[in-house]
Amino acid sequence: MTEVSSLTGRLLVATPALADPNFDRAVVLVIDHDEAGSLGVVLNRPTAVGVDRILAPWADLAGAPGVVFRGGPVAQDSALGVAVVPGAGRPPGARPHPGGDAPLGWRRVHGAIGLVDLDAPPELLAAALGSLRIFAGYAGWGPGQLEEELGEGAWYAVDSEPGDVSSPEPEGLWRAVLRRQRSGLAMIATYPDDPSLN
């Protein structure tokens, strides 16, 4: 595996130094990362728009809060579905997921986390999904752009957990992800919202 492909399925956590307001305290799940560029969705930007208003057939499968999330500044008129399929990221030798390893209409990104084909009938996936989030838009980087931002210290790259996709308190995800790190990053979770008031 090359260094370029190693970020797929990981989280990008915005550093306090990242000045782009689109990504202030953002937690981005990297869905695709290769020589052609990178694509991800911001996990902690819920909107006030219910899934039932945008994609009514999927509303019953969307986890709480049942709203559309702002996935990033690119193509905000498009929707992406990210879902966890319990058992799909099983360790080698474990029993397979009922109905096979990957249900129809779901493509693995990393472990139990994958993309949902929102054009597929929801009932095709209803029994397999553990959680589903709908994102309007995504975050995108051209070839080498994300690596450059990482080199400049704009992001921390950390491992994802299936629960990150369906966090019931998405606004607190930035602090929660940092807090669980076993390094000096855990201290960054206490960084004040406005350092000038400190």
Side-chain angles (χ1 to χ4, degrees):
M1 178 174 0
T2 66
E3 181 63 31
V4 171
S5 65
S6 67
L7 289 176
T8 297
R10 298 193 78 202
L11 297 178
L12 300 175
V13 181
T15 69
L18 183 58
D20 185 338
N22 289 307
F23 298 110
D24 181 45
R25 296 205 177 203
V27 177
V28 178
L29 172 67
V30 179
I31 292 173
D32 198 14
H33 181 86
D34 57 27
E35 293 81 8
S38 307
L39 180 141
V41 289
V42 180
L43 297 177
N44 57 335
R45 296 285 195 274
T47 69
V49 179
V51 173
D52 58 341
R53 290 184 45 207
I54 305 297
L55 289 167
W58 292 96
D60 289 341
L61 298 177
V67 298
V68 175
F69 281 66
R70 190 174 304 110
V74 181
Q76 291 188 348
D77 57 347
S78 65
L80 287 171
V82 177
V84 173
V85 172
R90 69 186 192 284
R95 296 178 54 126
H97 182 273
D101 193 34
L104 287 174
W106 181 82
R107 178 180 66 84
R108 179 186 326 279
V109 170
H110 176 76
I113 302 168
L115 285 173
V116 172
D117 178 358
L118 295 174
D119 292 327
E123 48 279 2
L124 200 65
L125 285 160
L129 294 186
S131 63
L132 169 70
R133 283 272 160 87
I134 304 295
F135 298 89
Y138 60 90
W141 294 266
Q145 185 180 3
L146 181 54
E147 291 82 358
E148 187 176 311
E149 290 182 15
L150 284 163
E152 292 170 352
W155 301 99
Y156 305 119
V158 300
D159 291 336
S160 64
E161 295 181 1
D164 296 332
V165 172
S166 58
S167 172
E169 296 179 12
E171 294 90 347
L173 192 59
W174 186 83
R175 289 188 193 281
V177 168
L178 288 171
R179 199 173 295 122
R180 74 177 184 231
Q181 302 309 307
R182 297 173 190 242
S183 64
L185 288 183
M187 291 298 296
I188 303 294
T190 63
Y191 197 84
D193 292 336
D194 185 351
S196 67
L197 300 178
N198 204 2

